[in-house]
């Protein structure tokens, strides 16, 4: 059977990565979390004491030649992002790195640097890739494009729970403000803003259980592969 490219885009905290991972497992495809790549660049910038991203863009661009990002497959089949060979999966999942990633993602040189690697990773198909610009910029010719969405309140609640599970002590109002800020930045940046590809199938999961959502998505995938 033909190995297709599945592009999954959508707002932050829509459950994109969980859905993408499960679909990849169902299909027997490789999964690439492109947000983790932006987060790894952000972590590298933070480690290099870059604290004012908006005014230090050229310093971030100058770091790119020294940045090597990859994914290491774990014994349980999950993938951890690596930064110059170091497993940084845990370090990139904080609010601080997420915020920095969203600011770094507006830099055209950073996007070009990561998009070229993503295109290389998916060129032979058999891939599920999630992000913000996968169906519009990285793989405009992807055979299947999904655009995920849920209300900001539902997404803030999900993010709040995740942060609590990680041992952080978030404030709900801050988490909601952060979701709204990130949405604004992701959709209003000049370079590759988040928007729905014309041929994307929209899945609003505000009122769906995970099982309902996955069986809906599996049906769409099976139909595409027929
Ligand atoms: O999906 P995430 O929250 O891990 O992504 C972190 C940030 O990276 C997010 O604010 C938007 C940005 N991003 C992007 O601009 N393009 C992508 N393909 C993936 C993520």
């Amino acid at each position: 059977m033909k190995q297709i490219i599945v592009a999954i885009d959508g707002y932050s905290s829509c459950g994109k990565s969980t859905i993408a991972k499960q679909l990849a497992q169902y299909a027997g495809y490789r999964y690439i979390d492109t947000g983790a790549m932006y987060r790894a660049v952000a972590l590298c910038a933070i480690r290099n004491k870059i604290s004012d991203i908006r005014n230090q863009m050229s310093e971030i661009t100058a770091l790119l030649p020294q940045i090597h990002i990859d994914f290491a497959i774990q014994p349980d089949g999950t993938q951890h992002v690596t930064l110059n060979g170091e497993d940084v999966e845990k370090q990139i999942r904080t609010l601080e790195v997420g915020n920095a990633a969203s600011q770094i993602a507006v830099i055209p040189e950073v996007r070009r640097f990561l998009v070229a690697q993503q295109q290389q990773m998916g060129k032979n198909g058999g891939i599920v890739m999630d992000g913000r610009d996968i169906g519009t910029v990285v793989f405009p010719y992807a055979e299947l494009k999904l655009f995920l969405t849920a209300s900001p309140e539902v997404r803030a609640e999900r993010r709040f729970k995740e942060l609590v599970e990680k041992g952080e002590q978030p404030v709900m109002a801050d988490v909601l403000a952060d979701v709204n800020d990130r949405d604004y930045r992701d959709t209003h940046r000049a370079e590759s803003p988040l928007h729905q590809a014309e041929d994307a199938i929209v899945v609003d999961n505000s009122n769906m259980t995970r099982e309902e959502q996955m069986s809906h998505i599996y049906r769409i995938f099976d139909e595409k592969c027929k």
Side-chain angles (χ1 to χ4, degrees):
M1 201 190 287
K2 190 172 177 253
Q3 300 251 299
I4 67 168
I5 294 175
V6 182
I8 303 185
D9 291 304
Y11 294 99
S12 64
S13 299
C14 264
K16 280 194 306 293
S17 58
T18 310
I19 293 162
K21 247 180 254 174
Q22 283 190 28
L23 179 59
Q25 205 169 22
Y26 174 79
Y29 285 8
R30 187 172 181 206
Y31 163 59
I32 300 291
D33 171 2
T34 63
M37 299 171 80
Y38 288 89
R39 284 170 182 265
V41 174
L43 180 67
C44 185
I46 292 169
R47 285 179 171 179
N48 279 274
K49 311 263 180 287
I50 294 175
S51 53
D52 184 5
I53 293 168
R54 246 162 272 184
N55 293 308
Q56 290 182 287
M57 290 193 182
S58 57
E59 281 144 76
I60 294 165
T61 306
L63 289 175
L64 296 177
Q66 310 155 34
I67 296 180
H68 181 77
I69 296 168
D70 211 340
F71 289 92
I73 299 176
Q74 304 304 296
D76 66 358
T78 58
Q79 296 194 44
H80 285 187
V81 69
T82 62
L83 173 63
N84 296 333
E86 176 194 348
D87 183 335
V88 291
E89 185 62 35
K90 196 154 180 273
Q91 291 89 319
I92 62 162
R93 303 289 170 196
T94 63
L95 262 184
E96 185 199 7
V97 175
N99 269 325
S102 158
Q103 293 178 49
I104 270 176
V106 308
I107 306 173
E109 289 84 355
V110 170
R111 300 206 71 85
R112 275 200 291 277
F113 174 75
L114 294 179
V115 166
Q117 293 176 34
Q118 291 154 8
Q119 288 171 332
Q120 190 62 23
M121 288 170 176
K123 69 180 194 302
N124 297 324
I127 199 146
V128 179
M129 197 173 273
D130 78 338
R132 305 291 189 288
D133 57 344
I134 312 304
T136 49
V137 175
V138 182
F139 293 117
Y141 302 108
E143 289 90 341
L144 174 57
K145 298 179 187 178
L146 298 173
F147 190 86
L148 300 180
T149 173
S151 73
E153 290 72 19
V154 166
R155 288 185 286 131
E157 221 164 281
R158 290 179 190 155
R159 167 125 23 112
F160 182 87
K161 279 193 198 139
E162 270 169 30
L163 291 169
V164 169
E165 273 161 26
K166 272 189 222 148
E168 296 191 29
Q169 294 175 321
V171 175
M172 190 53 177
D174 293 347
V175 177
L176 180 59
D178 191 68
V179 165
N180 285 321
D181 284 354
R182 216 179 283 194
D183 284 358
Y184 186 86
R185 272 203 298 269
D186 287 350
T187 51
H188 285 77
R189 62 176 178 231
E191 186 82 8
S192 312
L194 168 66
H195 72 95
Q196 186 194 322
E198 256 171 43
D199 51 348
I201 299 170
V202 179
V203 178
D204 182 336
N205 63 24
S206 303
N207 299 308
M208 278 186 190
T209 65
R210 191 172 288 179
E211 290 71 28
E212 284 167 350
Q213 166 181 263
M214 286 322 299
S215 51
H216 178 56
I217 289 172
Y218 293 157
R219 261 199 311 275
I220 296 171
F221 174 81
D222 289 341
E223 201 53 45
K224 260 298 155 193
C225 291
K226 256 189 201 161

